[in-house]
Amino acid sequence: FYPNPPSPSTSIYSKTDGVVNWQHSILVESDLSESIEVDTSHVSMGFHLRTIQIIANRLGQKKDSWTRHP
């Protein structure tokens, strides 16, 4: 595992990515980090509905009130 960034972080990964080894995408779980699995390929990830919903949720959070994705 690599160290987590020093800010609230969400890793979105797919075990069927086909390009990036999903195990290298997992963050160390903490109060300010999470890893969320989606079921899509690498190329389709940016168009995958669940991925877009997760990103919209992350971007909609206030700066100092990060919470884990529901």
Side-chain angles (χ1 to χ4, degrees):
F1 290 97
Y2 300 99
N4 289 351
S7 59
S9 305
T10 299
S11 172
I12 303 171
Y13 71 95
S14 174
K15 290 183 179 177
T16 59
D17 188 299
V19 175
V20 176
N21 183 334
W22 69 269
Q23 292 148 330
H24 294 285
S25 299
I26 303 296
L27 295 170
V28 176
E29 294 291 325
S30 75
D31 291 340
L32 293 177
S33 67
E34 64 184 343
S35 299
I36 302 173
E37 182 179 1
V38 294
D39 186 25
T40 189
S41 70
H42 184 86
V43 174
S44 300
M45 195 171 289
F47 305 98
H48 188 258
L49 179 59
R50 176 138 166 76
T51 302
I52 293 168
Q53 291 170 333
I54 294 166
I55 293 169
N57 175 272
R58 306 290 77 197
L59 292 174
Q61 288 191 6
K62 295 184 180 184
K63 181 179 178 184
D64 296 324
S65 61
W66 188 88
T67 59
R68 299 174 72 78
H69 190 268

